[in-house]
Amino acid sequence: KTKVGSGTGFFYKDLDSNAIYLITNRHVIIDENKRYFPDYLIIRIHTDVQDLTKNTDVRIDLYDSNGKPIWLEHPNLYFNREIGAIPDVIAIPIRPDENWVITPLSRENFPPNDIVLSPGEDLVVLGYPLGFYDTRHNLPIARKAALSSPFGVGFMGYPFFLIDAKLHQGTSGAPVFTKPTTIIVRKSGVGIVDRKITFFLGVHSAIYRGLELNIIWYARIVEEIVKQGVPARLRI
């Protein structure tokens, strides 16, 4: 058993089937060019909602007994020399234990279709830069970011947008959110809610070196992946 790296992932729920998935980047679990083929992941899960120091390590296998990949990829996956796999997002079907304390994201956390987010907008990235985090309470690090390309417009025609943030290796697969706010700007006007809310915008994937610009795959990519459903060979 050899640790070969670290990354970030999060749980996601398909509201149609109630299936739970672990979401991360494809390059976290496989990289053909670098001959990187880990057999499994180890994730740390909270087990007591009242005491965050109580956690358990869980092994997540990446292949079934026949050596076939367990994870789901986007149905339109293809490769680009500069970016790698497009989209660089995968979903691993998970069967949560009853002792796990998790709060999965879902399409209910997506922003409204007519939301207005302007370049320079404050965003938040939750992850594990260089594997660093609060090991006692098993909590990730929040890094501030700014929207760098128009939201809703695929940068260079790809299904991702750019953010300006000082991120590091280990943040691959991190979820990106709007900054918590009570004010929501929509094309139809400005709305105010009675409590701070945040929206799930996408999944961090890569950094343009020297620019501190980061690739964020749109959140809808996750929904498009999980809507394929858990393969029959993996169902209980």
Side-chain angles (χ1 to χ4, degrees):
K1 298 179 180 180
T2 302
K3 181 177 179 179
V4 295
S6 64
T8 299
F10 58 93
F11 292 107
Y12 188 88
K13 184 176 184 178
D14 174 16
L15 297 180
D16 296 323
S17 66
N18 290 322
I20 304 294
Y21 298 85
L22 175 64
I23 307 298
T24 189
N25 288 158
R26 186 182 190 276
H27 76 257
V28 168
I29 64 166
I30 185 171
D31 190 324
E32 294 87 348
N33 293 329
K34 296 181 179 179
R35 301 189 62 79
Y36 171 74
F37 304 100
D39 296 318
Y40 60 88
L41 304 175
I42 298 293
I43 60 175
R44 182 162 293 174
I45 303 291
H46 289 115
T47 57
D48 188 332
V49 70
Q50 301 298 330
D51 186 352
L52 297 181
T53 66
K54 294 182 178 180
N55 300 275
T56 185
D57 287 342
V58 176
R59 171 171 166 153
I60 305 296
D61 289 318
L62 298 176
Y63 299 88
D64 64 18
S65 58
N66 295 316
K68 294 183 178 180
I70 288 176
W71 69 85
L72 302 178
E73 299 179 355
H74 195 275
N76 296 326
L77 183 75
Y78 66 98
F79 293 86
N80 175 281
R81 181 175 298 177
E82 295 181 357
I83 302 171
I86 299 179
D88 184 16
V89 179
I90 58 98
I92 307 172
I94 299 292
R95 299 189 185 105
D97 185 275
E98 61 180 9
N99 294 322
W100 293 10
V101 177
I102 62 174
T103 304
L105 297 172
S106 73
R107 62 174 180 255
E108 289 185 341
N109 300 109
F110 290 2
N113 290 330
D114 64 344
I115 195 169
V116 177
L117 296 175
S118 304
E121 196 95 23
D122 289 334
L123 305 178
V124 177
V125 183
L126 295 181
Y128 301 85
L130 299 178
F132 181 76
Y133 66 105
D134 180 348
T135 56
R136 176 172 173 77
H137 300 97
N138 189 25
L139 295 174
I141 302 298
R143 302 299 298 262
K144 63 181 179 180
L147 184 63
S148 294
S149 65
F151 187 78
V153 179
F155 186 75
M156 299 291 287
Y158 295 115
F160 62 71
F161 59 96
L162 300 182
I163 64 172
D164 185 351
K166 188 175 183 179
L167 303 177
H168 302 82
Q169 290 183 347
T171 316
S172 295
V176 178
F177 301 92
T178 57
K179 185 177 179 180
T181 183
T182 58
I183 301 174
I184 304 175
V185 181
R186 310 177 71 155
K187 293 179 180 178
S188 57
V190 177
I192 299 177
V193 294
D194 58 5
R195 61 182 178 85
K196 286 188 176 182
I197 61 173
T198 185
F199 296 111
F200 168 47
L201 299 184
V203 184
H204 177 264
S205 174
I207 302 170
Y208 283 112
R209 298 295 178 186
L211 296 175
E212 292 189 353
L213 293 175
N214 302 262
I215 290 174
I216 312 298
W217 300 95
Y218 281 104
R220 62 178 172 80
I221 294 298
V222 178
E223 186 72 11
E224 291 170 3
I225 293 174
V226 303
K227 69 189 268 188
Q228 300 174 90
V230 178
R233 60 187 170 85
L234 301 177
R235 297 172 190 161
I236 298 176

Short mmCIF file of all heavy atoms in Angstrom, two decimals, residues 26-66:
data_model
loop_
_atom_site.label_atom_id
_atom_site.label_comp_id
_atom_site.label_asym_id
_atom_site.label_seq_id
_atom_site.Cartn_x
_atom_site.Cartn_y
_atom_site.Cartn_z
N ARG A 26 -11.42 13.27 -12.99
CA ARG A 26 -10.98 12.01 -13.58
C ARG A 26 -9.48 11.82 -13.36
O ARG A 26 -9.03 10.70 -13.09
CB ARG A 26 -11.30 12.01 -15.09
CG ARG A 26 -11.00 10.67 -15.77
CD ARG A 26 -11.28 10.73 -17.25
NE ARG A 26 -11.24 9.43 -17.88
CZ ARG A 26 -10.14 8.83 -18.30
NH1 ARG A 26 -8.97 9.44 -18.15
NH2 ARG A 26 -10.18 7.63 -18.85
N HIS A 27 -8.70 12.90 -13.45
CA HIS A 27 -7.25 12.74 -13.33
C HIS A 27 -6.82 12.39 -11.91
O HIS A 27 -5.66 12.04 -11.68
CB HIS A 27 -6.52 13.99 -13.84
CG HIS A 27 -6.54 15.16 -12.91
ND1 HIS A 27 -7.37 16.25 -13.09
CD2 HIS A 27 -5.84 15.43 -11.78
CE1 HIS A 27 -7.16 17.13 -12.13
NE2 HIS A 27 -6.24 16.65 -11.31
N VAL A 28 -7.76 12.49 -10.94
CA VAL A 28 -7.45 12.07 -9.57
C VAL A 28 -7.37 10.54 -9.47
O VAL A 28 -6.62 10.00 -8.66
CB VAL A 28 -8.49 12.62 -8.58
CG1 VAL A 28 -8.37 11.98 -7.20
CG2 VAL A 28 -8.35 14.14 -8.46
N ILE A 29 -8.14 9.85 -10.31
CA ILE A 29 -8.20 8.39 -10.21
C ILE A 29 -7.53 7.65 -11.37
O ILE A 29 -7.27 6.45 -11.26
CB ILE A 29 -9.65 7.91 -10.08
CG1 ILE A 29 -10.44 8.26 -11.35
CG2 ILE A 29 -10.32 8.51 -8.85
CD1 ILE A 29 -11.75 7.53 -11.45
N ILE A 30 -7.23 8.36 -12.45
CA ILE A 30 -6.57 7.70 -13.58
C ILE A 30 -5.93 8.75 -14.48
O ILE A 30 -6.51 9.82 -14.72
CB ILE A 30 -7.57 6.84 -14.40
CG1 ILE A 30 -6.84 6.06 -15.49
CG2 ILE A 30 -8.69 7.69 -14.98
CD1 ILE A 30 -7.73 5.02 -16.19
N ASP A 31 -4.72 8.47 -14.93
CA ASP A 31 -4.04 9.35 -15.87
C ASP A 31 -3.19 8.47 -16.78
O ASP A 31 -2.11 8.02 -16.41
CB ASP A 31 -3.15 10.37 -15.14
CG ASP A 31 -2.62 11.45 -16.08
OD1 ASP A 31 -2.31 11.12 -17.24
OD2 ASP A 31 -2.50 12.61 -15.65
N GLU A 32 -3.74 8.20 -17.97
CA GLU A 32 -3.06 7.29 -18.88
C GLU A 32 -1.68 7.80 -19.30
O GLU A 32 -0.74 7.01 -19.45
CB GLU A 32 -3.93 7.07 -20.13
CG GLU A 32 -5.23 6.32 -19.87
CD GLU A 32 -6.38 7.24 -19.47
OE1 GLU A 32 -6.13 8.42 -19.17
OE2 GLU A 32 -7.53 6.77 -19.47
N ASN A 33 -1.55 9.11 -19.50
CA ASN A 33 -0.27 9.67 -19.95
C ASN A 33 0.83 9.50 -18.90
O ASN A 33 1.99 9.29 -19.23
CB ASN A 33 -0.43 11.14 -20.31
CG ASN A 33 -1.32 11.35 -21.52
OD1 ASN A 33 -1.36 10.52 -22.42
ND2 ASN A 33 -2.04 12.46 -21.55
N LYS A 34 0.46 9.61 -17.63
CA LYS A 34 1.44 9.49 -16.54
C LYS A 34 1.52 8.07 -16.00
O LYS A 34 2.24 7.82 -15.04
CB LYS A 34 1.08 10.46 -15.41
CG LYS A 34 1.16 11.93 -15.81
CD LYS A 34 0.81 12.83 -14.62
CE LYS A 34 0.93 14.29 -15.00
NZ LYS A 34 0.56 15.19 -13.86
N ARG A 35 0.75 7.15 -16.61
CA ARG A 35 0.70 5.76 -16.16
C ARG A 35 0.33 5.71 -14.67
O ARG A 35 0.98 5.02 -13.86
CB ARG A 35 2.02 5.03 -16.43
CG ARG A 35 2.41 5.00 -17.91
CD ARG A 35 3.60 4.11 -18.18
NE ARG A 35 3.33 2.72 -17.81
CZ ARG A 35 2.64 1.87 -18.57
NH1 ARG A 35 2.12 2.27 -19.73
NH2 ARG A 35 2.45 0.63 -18.16
N TYR A 36 -0.70 6.42 -14.34
CA TYR A 36 -1.18 6.54 -12.97
C TYR A 36 -2.50 5.80 -12.86
O TYR A 36 -3.51 6.20 -13.42
CB TYR A 36 -1.34 8.04 -12.65
CG TYR A 36 -2.04 8.37 -11.36
CD1 TYR A 36 -1.40 8.19 -10.14
CD2 TYR A 36 -3.33 8.91 -11.36
CE1 TYR A 36 -2.03 8.53 -8.94
CE2 TYR A 36 -3.96 9.25 -10.18
CZ TYR A 36 -3.31 9.06 -8.97
OH TYR A 36 -3.93 9.40 -7.81
N PHE A 37 -2.49 4.65 -12.15
CA PHE A 37 -3.67 3.80 -12.08
C PHE A 37 -3.89 3.26 -10.66
O PHE A 37 -3.69 2.07 -10.41
CB PHE A 37 -3.53 2.62 -13.05
CG PHE A 37 -3.28 3.00 -14.47
CD1 PHE A 37 -1.99 2.95 -15.00
CD2 PHE A 37 -4.30 3.43 -15.30
CE1 PHE A 37 -1.73 3.30 -16.32
CE2 PHE A 37 -4.06 3.78 -16.63
CZ PHE A 37 -2.78 3.72 -17.13
N PRO A 38 -4.29 4.10 -9.70
CA PRO A 38 -4.56 3.59 -8.35
C PRO A 38 -5.75 2.64 -8.34
O PRO A 38 -6.64 2.72 -9.20
CB PRO A 38 -4.85 4.86 -7.56
CG PRO A 38 -5.32 5.85 -8.58
CD PRO A 38 -4.53 5.55 -9.83
N ASP A 39 -5.75 1.71 -7.39
CA ASP A 39 -6.82 0.72 -7.28
C ASP A 39 -7.99 1.21 -6.43
O ASP A 39 -9.11 0.74 -6.59
CB ASP A 39 -6.29 -0.59 -6.67
CG ASP A 39 -5.24 -1.24 -7.56
OD1 ASP A 39 -5.44 -1.26 -8.78
OD2 ASP A 39 -4.23 -1.73 -7.01
N TYR A 40 -7.71 2.13 -5.51
CA TYR A 40 -8.76 2.58 -4.60
C TYR A 40 -8.42 3.94 -4.00
O TYR A 40 -7.27 4.42 -4.12
CB TYR A 40 -8.98 1.56 -3.47
CG TYR A 40 -7.75 1.31 -2.61
CD1 TYR A 40 -7.48 2.09 -1.49
CD2 TYR A 40 -6.87 0.27 -2.92
CE1 TYR A 40 -6.36 1.86 -0.70
CE2 TYR A 40 -5.75 0.03 -2.14
CZ TYR A 40 -5.50 0.83 -1.03
OH TYR A 40 -4.39 0.61 -0.26
N LEU A 41 -9.42 4.55 -3.38
CA LEU A 41 -9.25 5.80 -2.66
C LEU A 41 -9.51 5.55 -1.18
O LEU A 41 -10.24 4.62 -0.82
CB LEU A 41 -10.24 6.86 -3.15
CG LEU A 41 -10.25 7.22 -4.63
CD1 LEU A 41 -11.40 8.19 -4.91
CD2 LEU A 41 -8.93 7.81 -5.06
N ILE A 42 -8.94 6.38 -0.33
CA ILE A 42 -9.26 6.39 1.09
C ILE A 42 -9.85 7.75 1.42
O ILE A 42 -9.23 8.78 1.17
CB ILE A 42 -8.02 6.15 1.98
CG1 ILE A 42 -7.42 4.77 1.70
CG2 ILE A 42 -8.40 6.28 3.46
CD1 ILE A 42 -8.30 3.61 2.13
N ILE A 43 -11.07 7.76 1.93
CA ILE A 43 -11.71 9.01 2.32
C ILE A 43 -12.04 8.95 3.81
O ILE A 43 -12.27 7.86 4.36
CB ILE A 43 -12.99 9.30 1.51
CG1 ILE A 43 -14.03 8.20 1.68
CG2 ILE A 43 -12.65 9.48 0.04
CD1 ILE A 43 -15.35 8.49 1.00
N ARG A 44 -12.05 10.09 4.45
CA ARG A 44 -12.34 10.17 5.89
C ARG A 44 -13.73 10.76 6.08
O ARG A 44 -14.02 11.85 5.57
CB ARG A 44 -11.29 11.00 6.61
CG ARG A 44 -11.47 11.09 8.12
CD ARG A 44 -10.20 11.54 8.79
NE ARG A 44 -9.17 10.51 8.65
CZ ARG A 44 -7.91 10.67 9.03
NH1 ARG A 44 -7.52 11.83 9.55
NH2 ARG A 44 -7.03 9.70 8.88
N ILE A 45 -14.58 10.04 6.83
CA ILE A 45 -15.98 10.39 6.98
C ILE A 45 -16.31 10.72 8.43
O ILE A 45 -15.89 10.01 9.36
CB ILE A 45 -16.89 9.23 6.53
CG1 ILE A 45 -16.58 8.84 5.08
CG2 ILE A 45 -18.36 9.59 6.69
CD1 ILE A 45 -16.98 9.86 4.07
N HIS A 46 -17.07 11.80 8.65
CA HIS A 46 -17.58 12.09 10.00
C HIS A 46 -18.57 11.01 10.42
O HIS A 46 -19.36 10.52 9.59
CB HIS A 46 -18.28 13.45 10.02
CG HIS A 46 -17.36 14.61 9.90
ND1 HIS A 46 -17.38 15.47 8.82
CD2 HIS A 46 -16.37 15.07 10.71
CE1 HIS A 46 -16.46 16.41 8.98
NE2 HIS A 46 -15.83 16.19 10.12
N THR A 47 -18.56 10.67 11.72
CA THR A 47 -19.48 9.65 12.23
C THR A 47 -20.34 10.17 13.38
O THR A 47 -21.18 9.44 13.90
CB THR A 47 -18.70 8.41 12.71
OG1 THR A 47 -17.75 8.81 13.71
CG2 THR A 47 -17.98 7.74 11.55
N ASP A 48 -20.16 11.42 13.78
CA ASP A 48 -20.94 11.99 14.88
C ASP A 48 -21.19 13.46 14.58
O ASP A 48 -20.26 14.26 14.56
CB ASP A 48 -20.18 11.84 16.21
CG ASP A 48 -21.01 12.22 17.42
OD1 ASP A 48 -21.93 13.07 17.29
OD2 ASP A 48 -20.74 11.69 18.51
N VAL A 49 -22.43 13.82 14.36
CA VAL A 49 -22.77 15.19 13.98
C VAL A 49 -22.48 16.17 15.11
O VAL A 49 -22.30 17.38 14.87
CB VAL A 49 -24.25 15.27 13.54
CG1 VAL A 49 -25.18 15.09 14.74
CG2 VAL A 49 -24.54 16.59 12.82
N GLN A 50 -22.43 15.67 16.35
CA GLN A 50 -22.17 16.53 17.50
C GLN A 50 -20.68 16.65 17.83
O GLN A 50 -20.28 17.56 18.56
CB GLN A 50 -22.92 15.99 18.73
CG GLN A 50 -24.43 15.91 18.56
CD GLN A 50 -25.09 17.24 18.32
OE1 GLN A 50 -24.61 18.27 18.81
NE2 GLN A 50 -26.19 17.25 17.57
N ASP A 51 -19.87 15.73 17.33
CA ASP A 51 -18.44 15.71 17.65
C ASP A 51 -17.65 15.48 16.37
O ASP A 51 -17.52 14.35 15.89
CB ASP A 51 -18.14 14.61 18.67
CG ASP A 51 -16.70 14.63 19.15
OD1 ASP A 51 -15.89 15.39 18.59
OD2 ASP A 51 -16.39 13.86 20.09
N LEU A 52 -17.12 16.55 15.80
CA LEU A 52 -16.43 16.47 14.52
C LEU A 52 -15.07 15.78 14.62
O LEU A 52 -14.43 15.53 13.60
CB LEU A 52 -16.25 17.87 13.93
CG LEU A 52 -17.55 18.62 13.60
CD1 LEU A 52 -17.23 19.99 13.00
CD2 LEU A 52 -18.43 17.81 12.66
N THR A 53 -14.61 15.46 15.84
CA THR A 53 -13.34 14.74 15.98
C THR A 53 -13.52 13.24 15.76
O THR A 53 -12.53 12.52 15.68
CB THR A 53 -12.72 14.98 17.37
OG1 THR A 53 -13.54 14.38 18.38
CG2 THR A 53 -12.55 16.46 17.66
N LYS A 54 -14.77 12.79 15.67
CA LYS A 54 -15.03 11.37 15.46
C LYS A 54 -15.20 11.11 13.97
O LYS A 54 -16.14 11.59 13.34
CB LYS A 54 -16.27 10.94 16.23
CG LYS A 54 -16.08 11.01 17.74
CD LYS A 54 -17.32 10.52 18.49
CE LYS A 54 -17.09 10.57 20.00
NZ LYS A 54 -18.28 10.09 20.75
N ASN A 55 -14.26 10.34 13.42
CA ASN A 55 -14.24 10.05 11.98
C ASN A 55 -13.78 8.62 11.75
O ASN A 55 -13.22 7.98 12.63
CB ASN A 55 -13.28 11.01 11.26
CG ASN A 55 -13.68 12.45 11.41
OD1 ASN A 55 -14.50 12.95 10.67
ND2 ASN A 55 -13.08 13.14 12.40
N THR A 56 -14.03 8.15 10.54
CA THR A 56 -13.55 6.83 10.16
C THR A 56 -13.01 6.87 8.74
O THR A 56 -13.54 7.62 7.89
CB THR A 56 -14.68 5.78 10.27
OG1 THR A 56 -14.14 4.48 10.01
CG2 THR A 56 -15.78 6.04 9.25
N ASP A 57 -11.96 6.12 8.47
CA ASP A 57 -11.40 6.04 7.13
C ASP A 57 -12.12 4.94 6.35
O ASP A 57 -12.34 3.83 6.87
CB ASP A 57 -9.90 5.72 7.17
CG ASP A 57 -9.08 6.92 7.62
OD1 ASP A 57 -9.60 8.05 7.58
OD2 ASP A 57 -7.93 6.73 8.02
N VAL A 58 -12.52 5.26 5.12
CA VAL A 58 -13.28 4.33 4.29
C VAL A 58 -12.54 4.10 2.99
O VAL A 58 -12.08 5.04 2.34
CB VAL A 58 -14.69 4.89 4.01
CG1 VAL A 58 -15.46 3.97 3.07
CG2 VAL A 58 -15.45 5.11 5.30
N ARG A 59 -12.44 2.85 2.61
CA ARG A 59 -11.81 2.50 1.33
C ARG A 59 -12.87 2.50 0.23
O ARG A 59 -13.93 1.88 0.38
CB ARG A 59 -11.14 1.13 1.42
CG ARG A 59 -10.67 0.60 0.07
CD ARG A 59 -9.83 -0.63 0.22
NE ARG A 59 -9.65 -1.33 -1.07
CZ ARG A 59 -8.61 -2.09 -1.37
NH1 ARG A 59 -7.66 -2.29 -0.46
NH2 ARG A 59 -8.52 -2.68 -2.54
N ILE A 60 -12.59 3.20 -0.84
CA ILE A 60 -13.48 3.25 -2.02
C ILE A 60 -12.77 2.59 -3.19
O ILE A 60 -11.82 3.14 -3.75
CB ILE A 60 -13.84 4.71 -2.38
CG1 ILE A 60 -14.45 5.44 -1.18
CG2 ILE A 60 -14.79 4.73 -3.58
CD1 ILE A 60 -15.76 4.88 -0.69
N ASP A 61 -13.19 1.37 -3.52
CA ASP A 61 -12.57 0.67 -4.65
C ASP A 61 -12.96 1.34 -5.95
O ASP A 61 -14.07 1.84 -6.12
CB ASP A 61 -13.02 -0.80 -4.67
CG ASP A 61 -12.40 -1.61 -3.53
OD1 ASP A 61 -11.20 -1.42 -3.26
OD2 ASP A 61 -13.13 -2.41 -2.92
N LEU A 62 -12.03 1.33 -6.89
CA LEU A 62 -12.26 1.95 -8.19
C LEU A 62 -12.58 0.94 -9.29
O LEU A 62 -13.00 1.34 -10.38
CB LEU A 62 -11.03 2.78 -8.59
CG LEU A 62 -10.69 3.93 -7.64
CD1 LEU A 62 -9.39 4.61 -8.08
CD2 LEU A 62 -11.82 4.94 -7.59
N TYR A 63 -12.39 -0.34 -9.01
CA TYR A 63 -12.65 -1.39 -9.99
C TYR A 63 -13.43 -2.52 -9.33
O TYR A 63 -13.27 -2.78 -8.13
CB TYR A 63 -11.34 -1.92 -10.57
CG TYR A 63 -10.52 -0.87 -11.28
CD1 TYR A 63 -9.61 -0.08 -10.58
CD2 TYR A 63 -10.65 -0.64 -12.66
CE1 TYR A 63 -8.87 0.91 -11.22
CE2 TYR A 63 -9.91 0.34 -13.30
CZ TYR A 63 -9.02 1.11 -12.57
OH TYR A 63 -8.29 2.09 -13.21
N ASP A 64 -14.28 -3.19 -10.12
CA ASP A 64 -15.03 -4.31 -9.57
C ASP A 64 -14.18 -5.58 -9.62
O ASP A 64 -13.01 -5.54 -10.00
CB ASP A 64 -16.37 -4.49 -10.30
CG ASP A 64 -16.21 -4.85 -11.78
OD1 ASP A 64 -15.12 -5.30 -12.20
OD2 ASP A 64 -17.19 -4.70 -12.53
N SER A 65 -14.78 -6.69 -9.24
CA SER A 65 -14.03 -7.96 -9.16
C SER A 65 -13.54 -8.44 -10.51
O SER A 65 -12.64 -9.27 -10.59
CB SER A 65 -14.90 -9.04 -8.51
OG SER A 65 -16.11 -9.23 -9.25
N ASN A 66 -14.12 -7.91 -11.58
CA ASN A 66 -13.69 -8.27 -12.93
C ASN A 66 -12.71 -7.28 -13.52
O ASN A 66 -12.35 -7.37 -14.70
CB ASN A 66 -14.91 -8.40 -13.85
CG ASN A 66 -15.83 -9.53 -13.44
OD1 ASN A 66 -15.37 -10.63 -13.13
ND2 ASN A 66 -17.13 -9.28 -13.42
#
